[in-house]
Amino acid sequence: MDDDELKFAEGGIRMLVSLGGLPFAGVPTIAGVIGYVSTVISFLSGGSTVDAVALLKQEVDSLKAEMVQLNSRLDELIENVAIENNRNVQARVDDHLDDIRRLRLRLGDSPGDVDKAVDVANELGVVIDSFLRADFDLWRWTDVVQKNGLRTLELHRFKNAPTLAVYLLGLLSWLAARQVAFDANQRHRLDDDAPRILRHLQAVSVRPEFDKYADGDASVPRSITEHIKWRIRAWVIGLNRLPENRSCRWAFEVRDWMTGRRTLADHFEIITDSDHVLCTVDAASLGPPKTELQMETDAGVDVLNQMAVTLDRVAKTGSAREPVIAPFPDTKVYPPAMFYLIGQNGDLYWYRNVSSSQPGGSTDWAGPTRVSDGWHRFTKAFCGGEGALYGVQPDGTLLWYGHDGYRDGSPTWRGPRTVGSGWNGFREIFSGGEYVVYGIRPDGTLLWHRHNGAANGGDTTTWSGPVPVGTGWQSFAKVFSAGHGVIFTIGADGVLTRHEHRGYSAGTSDWGAQIPIGTGWNVFQEVVAGPDGVLYAFTPDGRILWHCYRGERPPPVFPPGGAGGYDPHIWEGPIEVKRGVLGFRSAFPVMDAPFRAPA
C-alpha cells in the first residue's frame, strides 16, 4: 500500500482495513441517499405523499442491492473476530433494511389507506428507534489496525456507512406513513408519537455549544451528527519554518477517521514583518477549511441538518408540510446587517443578513460573495462607515478603499489611496462608525480619530485627532463597536462589557456607564456587532450564533432568590442563523456613515 493510500484511525493508528473504507459497487450508499433525501422532504413538505412513497421504493431496492454487495466484501477483513463482529452488526442493519422494505411495500400498495398507514408508521417507529439504542451500537464497527508494529483490532468504532443510509430511509419512510395518518386527523393512533419525534430530532441535531475542538463537555459528541463531525478534523501544517520573501505558507491536513481518508488542501499564506521570525499561526482563530466542510457534507452532515429542520417543524406543528402563510402587510421593518470576512487565502467575502434584528433572528442571507482578493497583506482591516474600508500594512501605512458595492455585494471599487502612516504602533484598531476610528496603544491609551475624507478617500491630512479619550484598554482580549458610541469589550475571562462613549462624535472623554452584560464570550472565533443590539458570534466549526441584547429590565420589588437572584439583562439567543461558514482570518461589519439630513 502506497503511503498516500494509508488509512488512519483515531489517535494516529494506522488503519489497515476498515469497513468504512471498503468500496461499493456503483454509487456509494451514503452519497446515493444524500442525493435524494432533499427530494423526498420536498415531496412531503409540499403535500405529495404518493410521490415520496414511490421514490422511497426505488431507493430502498437500490440500497438493498448495495447491502448484498457490502456483505460479500466483508471477507476482505482478515481477522476472524473482525469479520464476525462486523457481520453481526451488518446482519442487524440488513434486517432493519428488510423491515423497512417490507413496510414500505405495505404503504406503497395502498398509500391512501389510513388504517394501513397508522400500522406502518407504528412499526417503522420501533425500527428507527433501534438505531438510537445502546450508545448507537448499530453504528459501531471493527477495524484492523497496526499499532506499535503489531496488527490488532479496534472495536466499536463509530462509522456513518452503511448505517446512516438505512437510518435515513427508515426515518423518511416513517415520516411519509405518519403524514398520511396526520392528514386524516388520526395522530392519536400513533404510538409514542411526540416523544419519538423529540428523540430523533435530538439524534440528528447539533447542540449550539458543541465544539469538537474544545475541551470538556462541549466537545463530547451525543447525537449522530455530532459523532460524524467529531471524526472529521483539520490540522494546520506549516510548509516553511521561516518566511520566504516575508511569506509563511500553510495548508490544512484534513482526516476522516471513519473512512481513513486524509488530504492536504486549502493552502494559504501569512505576510510577516520580516524574514527573520518564525512562522507561527493561531490555529483556533482560523475556523474550518473548505475541505473539512466538504468532507462533513459528503459524510451526511448537511442532510442530517436538513432532517433536523424537518423534524423540528413536525415537533412544532405536527406536520412535515411547510405552512402556507398569507402575505399580510407588515409595517415593522428590521434593518439588515452586512459584514466582511477575510478568507484564509486573502479573498474578501461580503455577507448580508436580511432583517437582522427581528425577534428570533433571521436565516435570510445573501452571500458569501467574493468581492476582492489580496487582503492577507494587511495586519488589520475595518470599515469606517458604509463603503469606506481600510487596511493597515505591516509597515504602518493605512490604505483606503471605496467599496461602492457594499449594499449588494457587487465588486465595484475605488482606490486604494494612502491616508495615513504609523498605524502599526497600535495594539488594536477598531471602527466606531460614522468615520470614527479608535486605536489602543500598548500602554492602554485609547485614541480617537475621525477620517473627514472617508467618503471619497481624502489623504493623510483629512483627519481629526488623534485625541486621548480613555486609559486601561490594554487588558481586553477583544474590543469592537456597534456604532453610535456603543463599544463592547471581552475580557480574558469571557466577560462581555458594554461601554457608552457619549463623546464619540466630537472626540471628548465623556463616558457613560460600563456594564457587564454577559459571560462565556471568549469561546468564539470572532464576534461582530449588528444593528439594534445584535451580536454575531462565529464558532470554530463554521456556525454563526445570533444574540440580541435588548437592554435592562427594571428591578423587581422582591428579587427571586434574594438580591443575587435577579438578572437585569434582557437577551435573545443564542440562535443558530447560519452554518457552513468557511474559515477566515478576520471579520468586520459594515458601519454606519454620519447622518445626512435630506436636502
Side-chain angles (χ1 to χ4, degrees), residues 38-53 55 321:
S38 298
T39 305
V40 175
I41 289 177
S42 67
F43 282 152
L44 289 175
S45 63
S48 182
T49 307
V50 174
D51 289 339
V53 171
L55 187 57
R321 294 199 175 103

Side-chain angles (χ1 to χ4, degrees), residues 315-328:
K316 292 176 178 177
T317 69
S319 174
R321 294 199 175 103
E322 294 185 0
V324 177
I325 302 175
F328 295 110

Side-chain angles (χ1 to χ4, degrees), residues 288-556:
K290 181 178 180 180
T291 302
E292 180 183 7
L293 295 174
Q294 186 59 53
M295 278 191 178
E296 289 185 352
T297 296
D298 294 343
V301 167
D302 284 0
V303 76
L304 284 166
N305 289 332
Q306 186 178 3
M307 186 63 73
V309 172
T310 300
L311 286 171
D312 183 61
R313 182 165 61 245
V314 173
K316 292 176 178 177
T317 69
S319 174
R321 294 199 175 103
E322 294 185 0
V324 177
I325 302 175
F328 295 110
D330 185 358
T331 57
K332 181 67 174 179
V333 177
Y334 299 96
M338 292 169 286
F339 51 82
Y340 299 90
L341 298 185
I342 300 178
Q344 290 153 350
N345 63 354
D347 287 347
L348 185 67
Y349 293 92
W350 171 93
Y351 289 77
R352 178 187 176 100
N353 185 209
V354 180
S355 300
S356 166
S357 58
Q358 71 180 30
S362 167
T363 57
D364 187 359
W365 290 85
T369 302
R370 180 180 176 274
V371 293
S372 185
D373 58 16
W375 286 73
H376 62 288
R377 301 189 306 268
F378 301 119
T379 59
K380 181 68 178 180
F382 56 92
C383 171
E386 293 189 338
L389 272 61
Y390 300 82
V392 180
Q393 295 182 319
D395 64 357
T397 299
L398 182 66
L399 298 182
W400 171 95
Y401 294 81
H403 185 203
D404 294 331
Y406 77 92
R407 290 186 179 89
D408 59 6
S410 58
T412 307
W413 292 87
R414 291 172 289 147
R417 297 180 183 176
T418 299
V419 295
S421 61
W423 286 79
N424 55 347
F426 292 109
R427 181 180 181 274
E428 180 61 279
I429 303 168
F430 64 98
S431 171
E434 302 181 49
Y435 304 155
V436 171
V437 181
Y438 295 93
I440 301 176
R441 286 177 174 170
D443 65 359
T445 301
L446 181 68
L447 295 182
W448 173 96
H449 314 72
R450 183 172 59 220
H451 188 201
N452 302 311
N456 297 305
D459 54 34
T460 58
T461 67
T462 54
W463 288 84
S464 297
V467 179
V469 293
T471 59
W473 288 76
Q474 76 277 15
S475 60
F476 300 116
K478 171 73 177 176
V479 184
F480 59 102
S481 174
H484 309 289
V486 176
I487 299 174
F488 293 100
T489 60
I490 300 175
D493 56 359
V495 173
L496 177 69
T497 301
R498 184 181 187 275
H499 308 252
E500 182 185 1
H501 186 198
R502 294 172 178 168
Y504 79 95
S505 62
T508 65
S509 299
D510 182 11
W511 290 86
Q514 301 179 16
I515 307 172
I517 59 174
T519 59
W521 286 80
N522 54 344
V523 300
F524 301 114
Q525 180 188 355
E526 184 64 277
V527 181
V528 300
D532 300 338
V534 170
L535 298 179
Y536 295 96
F538 295 76
T539 68
D541 64 349
R543 294 176 295 137
I544 301 178
L545 302 182
W546 177 92
H547 308 72
C548 190
Y549 181 65
R550 300 296 190 186
E552 296 184 82
R553 57 171 63 88

Side-chain angles (χ1 to χ4, degrees), residues 160-404:
N160 58 341
T163 310
L164 176 60
V166 181
Y167 173 65
L168 288 172
L169 282 172
L171 202 56
L172 287 171
S173 299
W174 168 69
L175 284 171
R178 186 193 170 281
Q179 189 65 41
V180 175
F182 179 86
D183 290 343
N185 295 319
Q186 297 297 304
R187 183 178 181 181
H188 61 280
R189 297 173 58 189
L190 299 173
D191 298 338
D192 196 32
D193 188 53
R196 178 166 289 135
I197 294 169
L198 293 179
R199 282 196 297 274
H200 290 276
L201 174 58
Q202 292 173 354
V204 299
S205 298
V206 177
R207 292 166 291 155
E209 69 272 16
F210 176 74
D211 181 357
K212 61 185 174 183
Y213 295 110
D215 296 324
D217 186 64
S219 68
V220 178
R222 296 179 182 173
S223 70
I224 295 166
T225 314
E226 290 176 356
H227 271 287
I228 294 174
K229 289 174 65 70
W230 193 87
R231 286 161 174 81
I232 298 174
R233 298 191 172 224
W235 290 267
V236 182
I237 305 296
L239 303 181
N240 52 334
R241 182 172 177 271
L242 296 174
E244 300 172 3
N245 295 324
R246 293 173 53 193
S247 173
C248 291
R249 293 177 292 109
W250 305 83
F252 283 92
E253 181 178 8
V254 189
R255 296 185 182 182
D256 179 346
W257 282 336
M258 295 177 294
T259 64
R261 177 190 172 193
R262 66 170 182 173
T263 185
L264 194 68
D266 300 292
H267 294 70
F268 64 98
E269 63 177 327
I270 294 177
I271 305 300
T272 61
D273 293 334
S274 72
D275 287 336
H276 305 294
V277 295
L278 289 176
C279 289
T280 59
V281 66
D282 179 10
S285 68
L286 295 175
K290 181 178 180 180
T291 302
E292 180 183 7
L293 295 174
Q294 186 59 53
M295 278 191 178
E296 289 185 352
T297 296
D298 294 343
V301 167
D302 284 0
V303 76
L304 284 166
N305 289 332
Q306 186 178 3
M307 186 63 73
V309 172
T310 300
L311 286 171
D312 183 61
R313 182 165 61 245
V314 173
K316 292 176 178 177
T317 69
S319 174
R321 294 199 175 103
E322 294 185 0
V324 177
I325 302 175
F328 295 110
D330 185 358
T331 57
K332 181 67 174 179
V333 177
Y334 299 96
M338 292 169 286
F339 51 82
Y340 299 90
L341 298 185
I342 300 178
Q344 290 153 350
N345 63 354
D347 287 347
L348 185 67
Y349 293 92
W350 171 93
Y351 289 77
R352 178 187 176 100
N353 185 209
V354 180
S355 300
S356 166
S357 58
Q358 71 180 30
S362 167
T363 57
D364 187 359
W365 290 85
T369 302
R370 180 180 176 274
V371 293
S372 185
D373 58 16
W375 286 73
H376 62 288
R377 301 189 306 268
F378 301 119
T379 59
K380 181 68 178 180
F382 56 92
C383 171
E386 293 189 338
L389 272 61
Y390 300 82
V392 180
Q393 295 182 319
D395 64 357
T397 299
L398 182 66
L399 298 182
W400 171 95
Y401 294 81
H403 185 203
D404 294 331

